[in-house]
Amino acid sequence: MSSFPITTSDSSSSAHFSIPLSGGHHWCGRINKHHVLTLKSLAANANASLYVVNADEKLERFNMPDSLKAQHTLYLSKGHVLYSDMGRVLASIISDDHGWNDAICGPSNAAMISSQYGKKTFQDARNDRYQNGLDGLLTEMSKFALNTSDLTATLNLFSKVTPDVQGQLSYVTADNTDQSVSLRFEMNCLVFICNAPHPLDPSDVYDPADIELTVQAAAPMVPKTEFDVCRDSCEQNQRGFENNARYFGDYANV
């Protein structure tokens, strides 16, 4: 469950990286501005708990409430962005085959996993142990001197959760084999991913799907006179990108 660093400092590079992330495993890495991370589910029952922070100022982190409130949505999908707690855009979802990524349930924890699937520890099974989303994320975050106090709400890619009229949440089971989600990074970020079951997944077998991670250079951002699927999906996102432009001193795009 080691970390595979995938980063390049040259935004014009055509460098392309692909690595597997097996079910129950976790990963972290720095992904620079102007790069795209694509996660592809290789089987059914995928769920990737994802957390993002500003690599150059680790106090700036993904803010779930602001991301949902600013974009008037319960979930995140193509056209949405991941806001930080500074009102800036960390990353944009430029494509999404699944169409719904849960942003409210958070990662699974050890009690949830042991209650539903039983226990299989590292001492018992080595890398085939039953890992939970929270511990997997914290393991990766510790490599950058981050801990529980630095972790806020996460994003569960490939997972759909819907409420009923009483507000009770239900996990929507679906075959997400070969589905992909692509995030374009709008600033240099530390990215933490744990491939573990969603906390509401009703399955009685611990079998999270393997996922493939790919990083490559992003296409240049279109000028403000042209439409961008994330920047121009709502007025608030336009203001978020203006905040990014001020942060980077790119006043031509303010």
Side-chain angles (χ1 to χ4, degrees):
M1 299 189 183
S2 59
S3 166
F4 297 84
I6 50 175
T7 180
T8 174
S9 59
D10 180 4
S11 63
S12 65
S13 171
S14 60
H16 183 119
F17 304 85
S18 292
I19 60 169
L21 184 62
S22 300
H25 290 216
H26 33 83
W27 174 91
C28 68
R30 175 182 171 122
I31 302 180
N32 283 346
K33 182 182 179 183
H34 302 313
H35 286 80
V36 172
L37 167 66
T38 298
L39 301 90
K40 181 178 181 180
S41 171
L42 303 182
N45 203 36
N47 178 73
S49 295
L50 176 141
Y51 189 59
V52 180
V53 305
N54 180 345
D56 302 315
E57 178 46 81
K58 291 186 285 186
L59 291 176
E60 182 173 13
R61 305 153 186 165
F62 171 58
N63 186 297
M64 177 272 284
D66 284 356
S67 296
L68 300 185
K69 177 178 65 177
Q71 298 172 98
H72 304 283
T73 183
L74 178 68
Y75 60 92
L76 297 178
S77 186
K78 180 180 177 179
H80 294 137
V81 305
L82 279 60
Y83 276 101
S84 78
D85 45 15
M86 302 293 184
R88 294 188 281 258
V89 179
L90 295 166
S92 304
I93 303 177
I94 58 173
S95 67
D96 177 18
D97 293 336
H98 188 63
W100 186 301
N101 298 285
D102 165 46
I104 57 179
C105 288
S108 57
N109 60 38
M112 293 173 179
I113 294 299
S114 61
S115 173
Q116 187 161 349
Y117 305 105
K119 290 186 177 180
K120 187 180 284 189
T121 67
F122 182 77
Q123 288 72 20
D124 297 330
R126 297 298 187 265
N127 285 346
D128 290 328
R129 64 175 171 167
Y130 291 169
Q131 182 60 286
N132 65 85
L134 177 60
D135 286 343
L137 289 172
L138 291 174
T139 296
E140 297 303 326
M141 291 172 63
S142 69
K143 299 172 184 178
F144 292 90
L146 298 171
N147 56 41
T148 305
S149 64
D150 301 297
L151 180 62
T152 63
T154 61
L155 180 61
N156 289 314
L157 299 174
F158 302 110
S159 291
K160 181 176 182 179
V161 174
T162 59
D164 61 20
V165 293
Q166 284 79 36
Q168 296 296 314
L169 297 173
S170 298
Y171 180 84
V172 179
T173 303
D175 184 352
N176 41 30
T177 305
D178 291 330
Q179 292 183 347
S180 295
V181 181
S182 294
L183 296 96
R184 181 185 66 202
F185 284 81
E186 313 299 353
M187 61 174 63
N188 301 335
C189 288
L190 300 178
V191 181
F192 308 98
I193 300 171
C194 186
N195 182 2
H198 187 279
L200 297 184
D201 186 343
S203 173
D204 57 1
V205 177
Y206 186 95
D207 188 28
D210 293 348
I211 294 172
E212 180 183 63
L213 307 179
T214 301
V215 174
Q216 59 194 119
M221 173 73 82
V222 298
K224 293 180 69 175
T225 55
E226 299 180 26
F227 179 81
D228 179 84
V229 66
C230 295
R231 181 191 63 203
D232 301 313
S233 63
C234 64
E235 290 184 4
Q236 180 59 42
N237 286 2
Q238 293 174 345
R239 290 190 287 270
F241 276 88
E242 289 174 359
N243 289 340
N244 279 42
R246 291 187 178 93
Y247 179 66
F248 291 110
D250 181 16
Y251 296 109
N253 285 309
V254 173

